[in-house]
Amino acid sequence: IDDYTRCVDGINPDDQDWARAVNALMDCHAKLGNFDAALGLYRRALPRYESSAQAGSALYASFLENAGRMLYKQGQPDEALELLNARLETLIKWQTQKFNILELMGDMLAEKGDRAAAGARYQQALDMYKGRTGEFYERRISRVKGKLEKPDDHAAGDKVK
């Protein structure tokens, strides 16, 4: 953790190594159950991330997804949904991450009891993969179709891949 912290504090945010260090440090804190530390890092890193060359990258998408999950697990579902929703458009070229975030938002909304909004997010995810074939897409499509049928059966804290 100390080495990642030194990287986060000492490397230029335009460098991919900085983005990797932020993501790894957040992940370490989360895995150790230090959600307050992870969220503190998220709040400190977000402005630097957004103004860097990494904004819109796959690393950035992963950072946002992880931050949304942590906010949700810390009892801040509205902030988690706001974060994910506000940043969703930056992920247009990263289809898999965008699909995962739409599915995660659907899970969060379903857990909050907003079935209509959950269904809309699940449908957005499905629309992204319309016409796609192959096992990779078929697994994801099948999983989300199941959630559309029973949105209350899915917890947002579960990692989807």
Side-chain angles (χ1 to χ4, degrees):
I1 287 182
D2 292 339
D3 289 338
Y4 285 131
T5 301
R6 280 193 294 280
C7 286
V8 168
D9 292 338
I11 296 176
N12 182 332
D14 288 331
D15 190 317
Q16 277 191 344
D17 289 334
W18 178 85
R20 286 186 186 101
V22 167
N23 290 2
L25 184 56
M26 260 179 74
D27 193 43
C28 285
H29 282 306
K31 285 182 178 174
L32 293 171
N34 301 330
F35 294 112
D36 289 338
L39 288 174
L41 175 61
Y42 150 70
R43 293 185 197 296
R44 195 177 85 206
L46 184 63
R48 291 180 74 190
Y49 230 132
E50 290 181 328
S51 65
S52 78
Q54 301 309 312
S57 70
L59 290 167
Y60 178 66
S62 182
F63 170 79
L64 295 175
E65 183 178 349
N66 290 336
R69 288 179 190 286
M70 280 185 269
L71 286 164
Y72 191 80
K73 286 179 180 179
Q74 288 298 100
Q76 301 173 47
D78 293 332
E79 188 175 352
L81 288 163
E82 183 179 316
L83 165 75
L84 296 173
N85 192 49
R87 301 328 190 267
L88 197 58
E89 291 309 310
T90 66
L91 307 177
I92 288 172
K93 65 182 183 178
W94 303 102
Q95 294 293 307
T96 300
Q97 287 89 351
K98 187 172 180 181
F99 183 93
N100 288 346
I101 288 178
L102 285 166
E103 182 180 9
L104 174 63
M105 291 174 75
D107 292 348
M108 289 178 181
L109 289 162
E111 202 167 295
K112 283 181 65 173
D114 191 344
R115 294 177 62 120
R121 287 300 183 185
Y122 291 144
Q123 190 59 55
Q124 278 183 285
L126 289 174
D127 290 346
M128 287 180 54
Y129 286 171
K130 192 175 284 184
R132 305 271 176 111
T133 59
E135 184 180 340
F136 175 84
Y137 296 109
E138 290 167 6
R139 277 195 325 257
R140 285 164 173 73
I141 289 167
S142 176
R143 183 180 63 229
V144 173
K145 280 184 178 180
K147 291 178 181 187
L148 264 173
E149 294 168 10
K150 296 182 180 180
D152 295 332
D153 291 349
H154 305 281
D158 298 337
K159 179 69 177 164
V160 291
K161 282 287 179 191

